[in-house]
Amino acid sequence: MNYKLFGFTHTKEGKLFASKPGKYGLHSWGENVKIGDFLSVMGTHQLIHKEFELVIDANVLGPNSGADNHAPTNMTFPTSGMWKLDAYIDGKLFGSVYVKVEN
């Protein structure tokens, strides 16, 4: 079976905030990710359609919180609104998730 999923954990408040750096645990489920791979995340704002590099080459670590692999990261969203986050593993698109970022 070849599957892949991407998700992340964030603040205790359950919200993401613009211009506020935060720690995020990015999690992956799937057969194609290995410990030591590099994870990058590109974010695209829904209204301005501008792409931002939010995570640059975080190291993928082993299992955590039920995920096959994880990568601890820091991200800062420049503006509020809806964002599409694209996760890349070693330069190849792995998965996407949509998030709402508050002021």
Side-chain angles (χ1 to χ4, degrees):
M1 176 185 350
N2 188 10
Y3 67 96
K4 53 186 180 179
L5 296 169
F6 160 66
F8 69 98
T9 57
H10 54 87
T11 65
K12 292 178 184 175
E13 300 94 23
K15 294 182 180 182
L16 305 173
F17 294 98
S19 302
K20 181 179 177 185
K23 289 186 173 189
Y24 302 91
L26 300 173
H27 300 277
S28 65
W29 293 262
E31 301 166 353
N32 300 333
V33 180
K34 302 177 297 300
I35 294 172
D37 285 349
F38 291 106
L39 169 93
S40 298
V41 177
M42 299 298 292
T44 304
H45 191 274
Q46 179 185 23
L47 296 179
I48 61 175
H49 304 287
K50 184 175 178 184
E51 193 172 57
F52 296 85
E53 196 166 40
L54 299 175
V55 175
I56 304 168
D57 290 339
N59 285 316
V60 173
L61 304 176
N64 186 286
S65 300
D68 294 334
N69 294 288
H70 79 289
T73 65
N74 294 304
M75 285 193 288
T76 303
F77 295 92
T79 61
S80 61
M82 289 299 296
W83 285 80
K84 178 184 178 196
L85 304 182
D86 294 319
Y88 293 87
I89 303 292
D90 286 342
K92 295 179 185 170
L93 182 63
F94 182 80
S96 301
V97 64
Y98 293 83
V99 298
K100 181 179 179 182
V101 177
E102 307 285 337
N103 276 328

